[in-house]
Amino acid sequence: MDELSSLFYANSALLVMWGALLFHWVLPIPHSAHPVTLWHKFAELLAQKVNTPNSYQQSLISGTLAWLLMIIPTVAVCIALKALVWQPQLFELALLLLALDWRSSEKLTKCMSQALEKEDKKLARRLLVPFVNRETDTLSPLGLGKAGVETLTMGLGRNLIGVLFWYAILGGIGAFLYRLMVELARCWSPSRALFHPFGLPIIRMVAILDFIPLRGFALLIILGSNVRQMLSLTIEQSRSWPLPGPGWLLCAVGNKLQLSLGGPAIYGQQKAIRSKIGGRIAPASLHLQQAYRLLTRRAWIWIGLQSLLLFIIHQGL
């Protein structure tokens, strides 16, 4: 009995990770009812109060202070609660569950794929609205295919791979805070003129947090045939993308499946000129399903490798 108890506590981090993945898969929290959605709305309200037209420098300071105002109290509450709970593993499980979001990407893929197959542009545009900052009302079937693959890629990259990476480094609190900061970066994205430069501090912070997990996942994506060519294209194309982590991941998926990604996008009333990345195939319903299969297969490899590392590390401890 003592040996079983020792084994449990030695591998509690690994058991919590698999428990959270299992609970999330069986009983996912709906996107519309997720606490992160409430966090997003509160961030919008805060921005309305403090994101006022000022000088560039004052706007940067306001964005930094707003970010700290959202994050520091959350850190304090999480640390205080962890000291009060009777079972730390359950607290870690709860935070990781709140941070994970795999099933939303699966549902979006299924629904978007069906809408594109039926050429139902109105439905496809409506499905994308909760997940993107860009304007969807004028998206063509090609634009919808691109936006669908990009949204799916970044959704799994951040809400699954990034969350699990920071869980391994900083535990449940680290995973939860990473997810909250990703949501802040989306809410205050400086790609929209309203949040430039107000959103630059948080987007830069998230870019730092994304650097290792998204690039590591991109390397997993390009494994297989033509690895050297895939890696060369990914490195070359990602240089023109504004963020290094997302740039690598999107380029890796685009080149692996030869899908045409990137290109112009409308944010608010402003047209953003983004680089074209990936291959030459216009993404359609079939390609969205292919991208999901590729990403999920590589995600399972990531989970397996991370599980092995957690097991080795905690056994060594």
Side-chain angles (χ1 to χ4, degrees):
M1 187 66 182
D2 290 339
E3 291 181 1
L4 183 62
S5 179
S6 298
L7 183 64
F8 172 79
Y9 283 106
N11 295 283
S12 60
L14 178 57
L15 293 172
V16 165
M17 186 184 83
W18 276 99
L21 287 169
L22 179 61
F23 273 111
H24 173 69
W25 193 259
V26 175
L27 293 171
I29 304 173
H31 182 77
S32 58
H34 201 284
V36 171
T37 304
L38 181 62
W39 170 268
H40 187 106
K41 293 185 182 299
F42 184 77
E44 289 178 341
L45 293 174
L46 178 61
Q48 289 174 11
K49 299 292 184 182
V50 300
N51 183 26
T52 53
N54 289 311
S55 68
Y56 186 93
Q57 194 63 33
Q58 287 177 323
S59 186
L60 275 178
I61 294 172
S62 296
T64 303
L65 293 176
W67 161 42
L68 295 176
L69 181 62
M70 293 285 284
I71 291 298
I72 291 177
T74 307
V75 174
V77 169
C78 287
I79 293 174
L81 287 176
K82 187 173 182 178
L84 294 175
V85 296
W86 66 275
Q87 187 56 263
Q89 287 79 16
L90 292 178
F91 183 67
E92 294 280 306
L93 177 66
L95 289 179
L96 187 53
L97 269 174
L98 291 175
L100 283 170
D101 191 5
W102 185 342
R103 295 299 297 276
S104 291
S105 295
E106 180 197 31
K107 183 178 179 181
L108 176 65
T109 301
K110 182 179 179 180
C111 295
M112 275 288 293
S113 181
Q114 292 174 349
L116 290 174
E117 189 176 358
K118 296 176 182 177
E119 299 183 357
D120 190 342
K121 292 187 291 185
K122 289 184 178 180
L123 176 58
R125 291 166 181 164
R126 192 164 61 248
L127 289 169
L128 277 175
V129 169
F131 299 94
V132 299
N133 286 326
R134 72 178 71 179
E135 292 296 323
T136 62
D137 292 342
T138 58
L139 285 178
S140 64
L142 172 60
L144 288 168
K146 286 185 175 184
V149 173
E150 291 171 12
T151 304
L152 166 64
T153 301
M154 291 308 303
L156 284 177
R158 281 176 165 163
N159 299 340
L160 177 63
I161 302 302
V163 164
L164 291 179
F165 175 84
W166 286 107
Y167 167 74
I169 302 296
L170 297 174
I173 293 177
F176 185 56
L177 290 175
Y178 166 78
R179 176 71 194 282
L180 293 181
M181 284 196 278
V182 164
E183 198 62 29
L184 279 184
R186 193 173 83 83
C187 182
W188 299 341
S189 174
S191 58
R192 292 174 291 174
L194 177 64
F195 295 105
H196 185 84
F198 180 84
L200 286 177
I202 182 61
I203 204 75
R204 288 168 179 167
M205 185 65 204
V206 170
I208 294 171
L209 297 176
D210 279 342
F211 191 86
I212 296 176
L214 294 194
R215 284 197 169 195
F217 191 46
L219 291 175
L220 270 183
I221 294 291
I222 64 177
L223 287 179
S225 58
N226 301 321
V227 173
R228 288 188 178 181
Q229 181 184 3
M230 294 293 104
L231 181 59
S232 176
L233 286 170
T234 296
I235 293 173
E236 181 181 351
Q237 292 179 356
S238 65
R239 289 171 182 159
S240 61
W241 203 258
L243 297 175
W248 267 56
L249 184 55
L250 290 169
C251 291
V253 172
N255 286 305
K256 189 70 175 180
L257 299 175
Q258 288 300 298
L259 299 178
S260 175
L261 302 177
I266 299 175
Y267 296 92
Q269 302 299 319
Q270 188 174 356
K271 185 177 182 179
I273 305 301
R274 306 183 307 164
S275 301
K276 292 183 178 181
I277 57 176
R280 297 183 178 182
I281 299 175
S285 172
L286 173 64
H287 305 110
L288 196 58
Q289 297 174 42
Q290 288 178 343
Y292 180 75
R293 285 196 296 270
L294 172 66
L295 288 162
T296 51
R297 287 170 182 169
R298 296 304 193 267
W300 281 117
I301 295 174
W302 180 283
I303 292 168
L305 292 173
Q306 182 166 317
S307 299
L308 181 61
L309 287 173
L310 285 174
F311 180 80
I312 293 172
I313 290 169
H314 288 281
Q315 284 296 313
L317 295 176

